[in-house]
Amino acid sequence: MEKNKNGHYELLNRAFVPSNWEQNLYGVYWIPSYPNLAKVFRSGLDAFIFTRFGKRKIPAKPLRTQKMANGKDIEHARTDENFATDVMIHVGGTYEVNGYDHLGGSLGCFAFISDDDIYSTPELAKKASDDDSYDDKTTNADWKKIADRIIKLSFEKKKELRILLDYRDESKNYYPKEVLSE
């Protein structure tokens, strides 16, 4: 997130969108601890990484931009705009690792956010930001419960994990007028 030349913040769309919605079934690798901060602290939170025919590089629509608002390259920019690498489902929202709270989203992944971190209107999100109440509960327990259930079902039934990504109309995306921060 950077300020543009008019002094307004800009968010860049880093969402993964399949190159072809008719090819929207993906294999999945389980990552038993993600995120790992500085490869020193293991989070104990699981993540799932998308694959296509066993490869982590999957066909994707090009991103709207490969640059920040200030013209600098985006960290972890795609080397080939038609492929995304390491697209995951992982913890998001406010989560805790090693005693520290983090507010996280994703850079092209799908982040799980618990109901406590989701607000039905921009006004309610702003109020939670102003009141500093958005981070009163972490996402950890809710995500762990879901991830553990997925893993248990997969291992108990000796089934490979698969993700069927539902179509979404990109023209209906919501773009906030204001970016909230702590």
Side-chain angles (χ1 to χ4, degrees):
M1 175 174 64
E2 294 280 335
K3 285 188 178 184
N4 64 19
K5 63 184 176 184
N6 299 325
H8 296 107
Y9 282 102
E10 285 190 7
L11 291 175
L12 299 176
N13 180 9
R14 297 289 293 179
F16 166 73
V17 179
S19 63
N20 178 350
W21 279 103
E22 293 176 8
Q23 297 173 347
N24 59 341
L25 180 64
Y26 299 93
V28 182
Y29 287 138
W30 168 50
I31 300 174
S33 186
Y34 182 88
N36 292 321
L37 304 175
K39 300 193 181 199
V40 175
F41 301 115
R42 296 186 58 76
S43 70
L45 301 168
D46 299 304
F48 306 93
I49 195 162
F50 285 44
T51 64
R52 186 111 178 116
F53 304 113
K55 305 290 184 199
R56 291 162 61 152
K57 185 175 179 179
I58 56 179
K61 292 224 180 202
L63 296 169
R64 290 174 49 187
T65 181
Q66 287 275 65
K67 304 268 185 201
M68 299 289 281
N70 63 10
K72 293 181 183 174
D73 287 335
I74 295 171
E75 189 176 334
H76 307 292
R78 292 181 182 172
T79 54
D80 180 337
E81 69 176 15
N82 296 305
F83 288 90
T85 303
D86 294 342
V87 174
M88 292 188 260
I89 299 174
H90 58 72
V91 70
T94 303
Y95 62 93
E96 180 271 326
V97 175
N98 201 40
Y100 295 97
D101 285 353
H102 302 272
L103 181 58
S106 85
L107 288 172
C109 295
F110 297 88
F112 173 86
I113 301 173
S114 64
D115 289 342
D116 292 332
D117 276 345
I118 299 173
Y119 302 94
S120 58
T121 67
E123 294 77 23
L124 288 174
K126 178 151 180 48
K127 181 172 178 8
S129 179
D130 291 344
D131 295 347
D132 195 28
S133 62
Y134 67 91
D135 58 356
D136 290 348
K137 181 181 179 230
T138 64
T139 301
N140 293 47
D142 292 339
W143 173 241
K144 186 142 182 54
K145 191 182 308 179
I146 289 169
D148 286 351
R149 186 167 179 223
I150 292 167
I151 293 162
K152 181 179 179 189
L153 288 171
S154 173
F155 289 143
E156 273 184 359
K157 300 191 184 256
K158 296 183 171 73
K159 299 279 184 183
E160 289 188 33
L161 295 172
R162 298 275 184 255
I163 292 175
L164 180 62
L165 197 57
D166 284 340
Y167 172 80
R168 68 178 181 262
D169 184 346
E170 298 297 311
S171 70
K172 295 182 180 178
N173 286 348
Y174 169 74
Y175 297 94
K177 293 179 175 61
E178 180 181 7
V179 177
L180 306 175
S181 62
E182 185 175 78

